[in-house]
Amino acid sequence: MPRCSVCGEEFPEWQLIRCGDCGKAYCRKCAEEDPTILVLGVCPDCEEAHEAEEDYWDWG
Ligand SMILES: [Zn+2]
Ligand SMILES: [Zn+2]
């Protein structure tokens, strides 16, 4: 079974949320602790990279 890349526990694929960019896997619990993956569909690392490229937050 694939592992959550945060807590390292094994989960069935359908229970994991994957980063659309790098494919990093998050289990439900870890995704809820760091909801970037739930909200944006990418992990915080990739989100930072996106933020630098396209400033879609528009916070100035
Ligand atoms: Zn986890
Ligand atoms: Zn990622």
Side-chain angles (χ1 to χ4, degrees):
M1 276 199 282
R3 283 173 191 274
C4 167
S5 60
V6 182
C7 65
E9 280 182 55
E10 291 190 349
F11 294 91
E13 185 66 45
W14 64 270
Q15 279 190 4
L16 292 170
I17 299 138
R18 286 204 181 259
C19 170
D21 243 32
C22 67
K24 198 169 166 180
Y26 285 77
C27 70
R28 276 265 144 215
K29 208 181 84 201
C30 294
E32 273 163 25
E33 278 169 26
D34 195 347
T36 311
I37 188 83
L38 292 177
V39 178
L40 300 172
V42 294
C43 72
D45 290 346
C46 295
E47 192 269 327
E48 268 177 41
H50 279 253
E51 203 174 339
E53 284 166 21
E54 333 152 14
D55 51 25
Y56 55 78
W57 289 112
D58 203 28
W59 288 346

